[in-house]
Amino acid sequence: MNATIKDVARESGFSIATVSRVLNNANASYSSKTAKKIKKVAQSLGYHKNNIAANLVKRTSTTIAVIINSVKTNFSFEILSGIQEEANKNHYSVIILYAGNRSDNLTKQAIETAIDRSVSGILLVAMQLNQENTEMLRDANIPYLFVSTHPNNPLEKFVSSDNHLITQTAVNYLIKMGHKKIGLVGIDQHTTGKERLAGYKKQMLANNLSINNEFVQYGDYSYESGQKIIEKIGPLIKNGDLTAVIAASDMIGAGLIKGAKKEKIKVPDDLSIVSIDGTYICEITSSELSSITQDFRQIGSLSVETLLKKKNSKFVPIKLIKRKSVKNLM
Amino acid sequence: MNATIKDVARESGFSIATVSRVLNNANASYSSKTAKKIKKVAQSLGYHKNNIAANLVKRTSTTIAVIINSVKTNFSFEILSGIQEEANKNHYSVIILYAGNRSDNLTKQAIETAIDRSVSGILLVAMQLNQENTEMLRDANIPYLFVSTHPNNPLEKFVSSDNHLITQTAVNYLIKMGHKKIGLVGIDQHTTGKERLAGYKKQMLANNLSINNEFVQYGDYSYESGQKIIEKIGPLIKNGDLTAVIAASDMIGAGLIKGAKKEKIKVPDDLSIVSIDGTYICEITSSELSSITQDFRQIGSLSVETLLKKKNSKFVPIKLIKRKSVKNLM
């Protein structure tokens, strides 16, 4: 059995990132003592980079690994369809690695599997990486990009919708419909949520609208989360202190509608809703959800093109689709 | 660059299945002339089974490949979660290969990729295989099983819900609620659809209920399909000749509700619906869908256990969840 970088890491007690740096003679910071130790372990385990690993690189030069998260949303299949379609066109095959629900450990495993199989590129769908996983990915020297998330670091490449623009567009639409008491609900506390919050705040301020503390509610983009949020903002709505909200996902929007029904809050008479995503969920809900629609299929297909042709990062256009969940106050 | 079975197949003009049989010295039908030709090509391309391939087998002995179809349903993520969870417990990693929407060609590619990477097992989620792909899979000598489909061939292993039982349970429930004019809509013409149709017919006959030709409508399990079906059965419903239907999926059920609204058909007053699957869609719809609920997470996790521990095929229990889409006529 031929040893892998993983084996060498386990046996030597060093991280995969460090082992990878040493065995690839990367220009990175490790002591000569560390290098010596690792090389010794690698030798004792029979690690042969130029034998198995190099052959693997050549064999698999037409495979893209897609690492996906199971966030509680429903759009991943659209993105995967787009990726698959574009990869096919370019005669690349795709393997998908599932990183569980925001688990750093499962994400690490997925990245290791991709590196270990020497894929030619990695797409990270709706993922956020911690420091360790980021370093491992960088050291692997395999092209990668973020899909449907806009990473903090400007050096990282991405294909995504523009989260600032999404909430700005939603606020503008609600203002045009006569709303002034507008909330943003269901966002997370990571990059995506922060950007959406920033866009919302900016546009509210630009229109001299004040933001009550309770106007912003956090969640996890899930249906359950949407239902819970109604309990918190119910009193505000009943008092007329909040007439409209932007839902951080269609699932949040669906949860809001369901929760509102229980609380005898009418959509859109008492509460107007614009949801973010615009998937089929918007049509299935009883009060058809107006939405800021993201083009997930294009996000998927553009991400492959960007990866393969080393194009620049890109925001994909969004669209406002008017359905029945917004009341016109004008 | 080391040649793969694929390369040998392309170069020699023989199928991957044949090349695999010859190079693995499998006990299968091929002429000595074929064998000679293939071996010659393999040699000329520098194909070394015992070098790369065998090493790969050892290296990847703890990876399961999951091949998924993008049928227009929404339950795959539940199954994948179950698979991932159980695989983690057993220290297996999972790679997912996406076979497009029922495309034999993409399915072939996915199987080839799995074989080429010498995974230790293959799970086929909601897939049906044509003859060629079945043979390729059998010849590869990698354990595999069908997940969430019950293959025709009794020799093939599976973990699934029992489609006969699903429609029988649904028919029984509707009969208990006083319905006699019961349809089955949105099924496909493949195994799953055929089994659901058989269960439905059996239970209707057992209760001396007749089946009008228009009681059975085909579709593709999608929301759009559900909406279209209402156009066909609308007149029957309005005449009172059909009072209840079993929807072949939650998405069909959601489409029926939407279509019914357009046609001014009231659910459940004019039309009772029981849907098959029981995912979150049932709660999101305006008239909460009663459903025959499948345990997709358990289907996923049991499939890994069955694959790894070579257990027998298994039907996973289903549950009837009563919500608001069925009118009591008793």
Side-chain angles (χ1 to χ4, degrees):
Chain A
M1 172 164 175
N2 270 274
T4 66
I5 283 183
K6 257 191 204 175
D7 300 326
V8 177
R10 193 171 40 233
E11 196 68 25
S12 66
F14 288 97
S15 74
I16 290 193
T18 305
V19 170
S20 164
R21 273 195 289 263
V22 168
L23 296 179
N24 290 303
N25 299 312
N27 287 332
S29 51
Y30 51 82
S31 70
S32 63
K33 200 176 147 198
T34 298
K36 215 170 157 184
K37 241 188 212 162
I38 288 175
K39 281 178 182 166
K40 203 175 154 191
V41 172
Q43 206 179 2
S44 77
L45 290 176
Y47 174 83
H48 295 300
K49 188 200 164 208
N50 293 322
N51 180 3
I52 297 298
N55 282 325
L56 267 171
V57 172
K58 283 174 193 154
R59 283 192 58 181
T60 60
S61 62
T62 51
T63 299
I64 295 170
V66 180
I67 304 183
I68 55 170
N69 217 320
S70 145
V71 290
K72 298 185 170 189
T73 44
N74 62 312
F75 55 71
S76 307
F77 264 98
E78 275 297 299
I79 293 182
L80 290 178
S81 297
I83 289 174
Q84 191 72 37
E85 208 174 79
E86 187 67 21
N88 274 342
K89 268 191 219 155
N90 290 279
H91 308 290
Y92 273 67
S93 63
V94 172
I95 63 174
I96 304 162
L97 301 161
Y98 190 68
N101 205 357
R102 291 246 156 95
S103 148
D104 282 334
N105 196 32
L106 290 179
T107 303
K108 189 181 159 201
Q109 273 182 36
I111 296 173
E112 282 175 5
T113 304
I115 294 175
D116 214 35
R117 289 174 176 254
S118 302
V119 296
S120 52
I122 299 176
L123 296 175
L124 301 146
V125 177
M127 302 276 298
Q128 256 138 0
L129 297 187
N130 66 6
Q131 190 61 25
E132 185 195 353
N133 288 335
T134 306
E135 277 173 20
M136 180 165 64
L137 201 49
R138 279 193 199 135
D139 291 338
N141 219 8
I142 296 171
Y144 64 92
L145 66 88
F146 289 85
V147 183
S148 190
T149 35
H150 174 213
N152 262 323
N153 187 330
L155 293 175
E156 305 281 15
K157 283 173 90 173
F158 69 88
V159 170
S160 163
S161 301
D162 182 341
N163 284 307
H164 290 90
L165 186 62
I166 283 177
T167 39
Q168 287 178 311
T169 306
V171 169
N172 279 348
Y173 172 51
L174 290 169
I175 289 173
K176 246 174 82 181
M177 296 293 275
H179 294 270
K180 293 182 169 159
K181 300 157 183 171
I182 302 169
L184 171 62
V185 303
I187 51 168
D188 65 2
Q189 314 231 20
H190 299 281
T191 316
T192 302
K194 279 180 191 158
E195 290 180 351
R196 290 181 181 175
L197 182 59
Y200 158 79
K201 281 186 173 166
K202 192 179 163 191
Q203 209 60 19
M204 291 290 279
L205 288 175
N207 287 278
N208 293 315
L209 299 178
S210 58
I211 299 170
N212 181 320
N213 265 342
E214 295 167 273
F215 281 7
V216 176
Q217 298 286 342
Y218 290 94
D220 64 0
Y221 301 104
S222 73
Y223 179 63
E224 291 74 23
S225 192
Q227 286 179 284
K228 275 184 204 147
I229 285 166
I230 280 289
E231 292 171 24
K232 291 188 192 155
I233 58 174
L236 282 180
I237 299 165
K238 286 172 183 168
N239 288 340
D241 291 333
L242 180 68
T243 66
V245 293
I246 302 161
S249 70
D250 293 340
M251 296 303 282
I252 290 283
L256 290 175
I257 289 175
K258 182 66 63 178
K261 217 173 171 183
K262 268 191 209 143
E263 301 275 331
K264 308 229 155 88
I265 291 167
K266 282 183 194 150
V267 178
D269 285 346
D270 306 324
L271 177 69
S272 291
I273 305 174
V274 179
S275 77
I276 299 171
D277 283 349
T279 65
Y280 61 87
I281 294 292
C282 294
E283 285 187 39
I284 288 174
T285 52
S286 55
S287 175
E288 288 191 32
L289 276 169
S290 296
S291 64
I292 307 296
T293 298
Q294 302 195 59
D295 192 342
F296 292 111
R297 184 171 273 266
Q298 212 198 335
I299 287 176
S301 97
L302 264 181
S303 71
V304 173
E305 205 191 314
T306 306
L307 183 77
L308 297 181
K309 301 189 180 152
K310 300 193 194 307
K311 292 194 163 186
N312 289 332
S313 296
K314 199 165 291 172
F315 287 128
V316 172
I318 54 167
K319 254 191 303 195
L320 166 68
I321 309 271
K322 297 170 190 173
R323 295 193 190 84
K324 295 172 189 158
S325 62
V326 176
K327 186 181 179 185
N328 194 338
L329 300 178
M330 303 300 262
Chain B
M1 173 167 176
N2 270 274
T4 67
I5 284 183
K6 259 190 204 173
D7 300 325
V8 178
R10 194 171 38 234
E11 198 66 25
S12 68
F14 289 98
S15 73
I16 290 193
T18 306
V19 170
S20 165
R21 275 194 290 261
V22 169
L23 296 179
N24 290 303
N25 297 313
N27 287 332
S29 53
Y30 50 82
S31 70
S32 62
K33 199 176 145 197
T34 298
K36 216 171 154 185
K37 240 187 214 163
I38 288 175
K39 281 178 182 166
K40 202 175 152 191
V41 172
Q43 208 181 359
S44 78
L45 289 177
Y47 173 83
H48 296 296
K49 189 201 165 206
N50 294 320
N51 181 3
I52 298 297
N55 283 324
L56 267 172
V57 172
K58 284 174 194 155
R59 282 192 59 181
T60 61
S61 62
T62 51
T63 299
I64 295 170
V66 179
I67 303 183
I68 55 171
N69 218 320
S70 143
V71 289
K72 298 185 170 189
T73 44
N74 61 312
F75 56 69
S76 306
F77 265 98
E78 275 297 300
I79 293 182
L80 290 178
S81 297
I83 289 174
Q84 191 73 39
E85 209 175 78
E86 186 67 22
N88 274 342
K89 268 192 217 154
N90 290 278
H91 308 288
Y92 273 66
S93 63
V94 172
I95 63 174
I96 303 163
L97 301 161
Y98 188 68
N101 205 359
R102 291 248 157 94
S103 148
D104 283 334
N105 196 33
L106 290 179
T107 303
K108 190 181 157 200
Q109 273 182 35
I111 296 173
E112 282 175 5
T113 305
I115 294 175
D116 213 35
R117 290 176 176 253
S118 301
V119 296
S120 52
I122 299 176
L123 296 175
L124 301 147
V125 177
M127 302 276 298
Q128 257 138 359
L129 298 186
N130 66 5
Q131 190 62 24
E132 185 195 352
N133 287 335
T134 307
E135 276 173 22
M136 180 165 64
L137 201 48
R138 281 194 199 133
D139 290 338
N141 218 9
I142 296 172
Y144 64 92
L145 67 86
F146 290 86
V147 183
S148 190
T149 35
H150 175 213
N152 263 324
N153 187 331
L155 293 176
E156 304 283 16
K157 284 173 92 174
F158 68 88
V159 171
S160 165
S161 302
D162 182 341
N163 284 308
H164 290 90
L165 185 62
I166 283 176
T167 39
Q168 287 178 310
T169 306
V171 169
N172 280 347
Y173 171 52
L174 290 169
I175 289 174
K176 246 176 83 184
M177 297 293 274
H179 294 269
K180 292 182 168 157
K181 300 157 183 170
I182 302 168
L184 171 63
V185 303
I187 51 168
D188 65 1
Q189 316 231 20
H190 299 281
T191 316
T192 302
K194 279 178 190 160
E195 290 180 352
R196 289 180 181 176
L197 182 58
Y200 159 79
K201 281 186 172 167
K202 193 179 161 189
Q203 209 60 19
M204 290 291 278
L205 288 175
N207 287 279
N208 294 315
L209 299 178
S210 58
I211 299 169
N212 181 321
N213 265 343
E214 294 167 275
F215 281 9
V216 176
Q217 298 286 342
Y218 291 94
D220 65 0
Y221 301 104
S222 72
Y223 179 63
E224 291 74 24
S225 192
Q227 286 179 283
K228 274 183 204 150
I229 285 166
I230 280 289
E231 291 171 25
K232 291 189 191 154
I233 58 174
L236 283 179
I237 299 165
K238 286 173 182 167
N239 287 339
D241 291 334
L242 180 68
T243 66
V245 292
I246 303 160
S249 71
D250 293 340
M251 297 302 283
I252 291 283
L256 290 175
I257 289 176
K258 182 67 60 177
K261 216 172 174 184
K262 267 189 211 148
E263 300 276 330
K264 308 231 154 86
I265 292 167
K266 282 184 193 150
V267 177
D269 284 347
D270 306 325
L271 177 68
S272 291
I273 304 174
V274 178
S275 76
I276 299 173
D277 284 349
T279 65
Y280 61 87
I281 294 292
C282 293
E283 286 187 40
I284 288 173
T285 51
S286 55
S287 174
E288 288 190 33
L289 275 169
S290 297
S291 64
I292 307 296
T293 298
Q294 303 195 59
D295 192 341
F296 292 112
R297 185 171 270 268
Q298 212 198 335
I299 287 176
S301 98
L302 266 181
S303 70
V304 173
E305 205 190 314
T306 305
L307 184 77
L308 297 181
K309 301 189 180 151
K310 299 192 195 309
K311 293 193 163 188
N312 289 332
S313 294
K314 199 165 289 170
F315 287 128
V316 172
I318 54 166
K319 253 192 302 195
L320 166 68
I321 309 272
K322 297 169 191 175
R323 296 192 191 85
K324 293 172 190 158
S325 62
V326 176
K327 186 182 179 185
N328 194 339
L329 299 178
M330 305 297 264

